[in-house]
Amino acid sequence: MTQIVATTPGLFPLPDWAKDELSDLKGHQKTDLISGDEGGEIVDAYDRAREEVISLQQDAGLDRVVEGQLRWDDMLAHPLAVHDSVETRGIVRYYDNNNFYREPVVQDDLTADGDVAAELDAAAELVDDGLQAVLPGPYSLADLATDDYYGDEAAFLDAIAEFLAGEVEQFPDVETLFLLEPSLVENDPDDGTDERASEAIDAVANATDADVVTHTYWGPIEEKTYAHLMDADVDAIGFDLVSDHDSNVYNVQEYGTKDDVALGVVDGQNTLVESPETIRDRIDWFEQQTNTVYDTVYATANTELFYLPVNKFADKLESLANAADLEEVEA
């Protein structure tokens, strides 16, 4: 019998009050600052916002609760954008949408700085069980950044993986780690790099005892890249069924997948709220098409959720949780 686990890939929208308060405190649009350099009032605002989004997930009944990544104005580039060895330069388009981030240019040795771990430590005080960590996958983080230090693409990817693994080693106990890898779709690695990307993911996954999900989105992964990703020691691979369900199913039909799977069954960029029944139908369809009963299905949004208005974001969390409850009722 499949266990349905309701969760998200994180990167939540800031509560409306927090947007206003942080804008007033900083005197301009909210921008990320290195933890510790933020003023006390700013830290307090983020703390209260974190408490709010964690309570929202708990009240909705999600099986996995994330910290929310509310400080991540640079989205997946955040862990580098706040690092002492990185200079943030001009504004760059975040993949092919209307969001932007500051280009992180690596200029010195990357060592784990504990920024994400500190956020998780704060979240762990509010979550008794079911805490889930969120990180950019190493290939996507390397893709979003510019190397001005290591001088070699392979060495840079290895350094990013080592940096993320070091960060993971500082995490408190978490049940699940979501590694977000949209660049595997958006900037398909060429021959050789696809294998190195899989090895980099493997290096990060091996830094934790938690269940690791490599979540991909905005389309299907190219076949050769997917075949290499299957070699990574992760517990589940994520598929964006919202963007392209047929091609994602084809990869699984041709190459198989892990015993667990993450399914992007809620649109993280559209305000239409899916019903629990629709979510369950999408999960059931995937199992039927791949002729597999999975040990665990992580039912999740296909993308990060910062694109959504707060009220629609909250409604989608409830739908995900209620879809998992439907499984329990029908079992």
Side-chain angles (χ1 to χ4, degrees):
M1 181 187 304
T2 300
Q3 177 188 20
I4 308 295
V5 173
T7 188
T8 71
L11 281 91
F12 291 167
L14 265 173
D16 291 333
W17 66 262
K19 291 179 186 176
D20 295 338
E21 185 169 328
L22 286 162
S23 179
D24 290 342
L25 287 170
K26 297 180 180 180
H28 51 75
Q29 291 294 319
K30 186 175 78 73
T31 56
D32 243 335
L33 299 172
I34 298 174
S35 181
D37 291 343
E38 297 165 338
E41 290 180 303
I42 292 174
V43 171
D44 177 69
Y46 278 126
D47 286 345
R48 286 183 281 120
R50 179 190 300 112
E51 291 177 9
E52 182 171 319
V53 298
I54 286 177
S55 293
L56 188 65
Q57 295 170 82
Q58 292 170 328
D59 291 344
L62 289 180
D63 300 299
R64 298 289 185 270
V65 174
V66 301
E67 186 269 339
Q69 296 75 49
L70 300 175
R71 292 175 57 245
W72 292 27
D73 278 350
D74 297 293
M75 285 80 75
L76 294 185
H78 167 86
L80 289 184
V82 297
H83 197 284
D84 287 342
S85 297
V86 176
E87 177 186 351
T88 53
R89 293 182 183 169
I91 300 300
V92 182
R93 186 179 295 275
Y94 184 65
Y95 296 104
D96 189 20
N97 59 43
N98 291 323
N99 291 279
F100 299 87
Y101 69 101
R102 299 171 300 167
E103 179 190 14
V105 181
V106 177
Q107 297 186 316
D108 205 342
D109 193 39
L110 287 175
T111 56
D113 61 2
D115 182 83
V116 179
E119 292 177 339
L120 284 168
D121 285 337
E125 296 180 3
L126 305 170
V127 180
D128 292 331
D129 54 48
L131 183 61
Q132 174 177 300
V134 174
L135 276 177
Y139 178 74
S140 293
L141 187 55
D143 180 46
L144 293 170
T146 297
D147 172 33
D148 199 22
Y149 176 72
Y150 291 94
D152 176 82
E153 181 180 286
F156 186 51
L157 180 56
D158 288 346
I160 294 288
E162 184 177 351
F163 160 66
L164 291 174
E167 189 74 23
V168 169
E169 289 170 354
Q170 298 183 46
F171 284 178
D173 289 339
V174 298
E175 290 199 32
T176 313
L177 167 61
F178 260 48
L179 294 176
L180 306 185
E181 282 284 17
S183 287
L184 288 177
V185 173
E186 289 293 303
N187 186 17
D188 181 50
D190 54 20
D191 287 347
T193 304
D194 48 12
E195 184 175 1
R196 288 195 297 273
S198 176
E199 292 170 349
I201 291 168
D202 197 59
V204 180
N206 285 331
T208 179
D209 293 328
D211 293 330
V212 178
V213 179
T214 299
H215 187 45
T216 63
Y217 45 99
W218 289 325
I221 312 174
E222 290 295 324
E223 291 181 53
K224 191 168 181 290
T225 300
Y226 180 77
H228 281 298
L229 182 57
M230 278 292 293
D231 292 333
D233 187 19
V234 299
D235 297 278
I237 295 172
F239 302 96
D240 179 355
L241 300 189
V242 174
S243 295
D244 190 332
H245 51 277
D246 287 332
S247 296
N248 277 309
V249 162
Y250 172 80
N251 276 341
V252 178
Q253 290 171 336
E254 285 295 308
Y255 302 101
T257 194
K258 307 290 184 175
D259 293 336
D260 300 339
V261 66
L263 299 179
V265 288
V266 164
D267 194 333
Q269 298 179 275
N270 190 299
T271 57
L272 179 66
V273 178
E274 300 83 352
S275 70
E277 292 78 15
T278 295
I279 293 169
R280 276 303 314 281
D281 285 345
R282 291 173 178 176
I283 294 170
D284 292 344
W285 177 86
F286 185 86
E287 289 196 321
Q288 292 164 6
Q289 294 298 309
T290 58
N291 195 31
T292 304
V293 176
Y294 298 95
D295 292 344
T296 301
V297 169
Y298 294 93
T300 185
N302 64 327
T303 68
E304 312 106 327
L305 291 158
F306 62 82
Y307 307 95
L308 296 172
V310 173
N311 63 330
K312 296 298 184 181
F313 154 72
D315 290 343
K316 286 180 183 259
L317 296 189
E318 288 191 6
S319 285
L320 282 166
N322 289 336
D325 288 340
L326 282 179
E327 168 67 14
E328 293 173 6
V329 171
E330 295 174 359

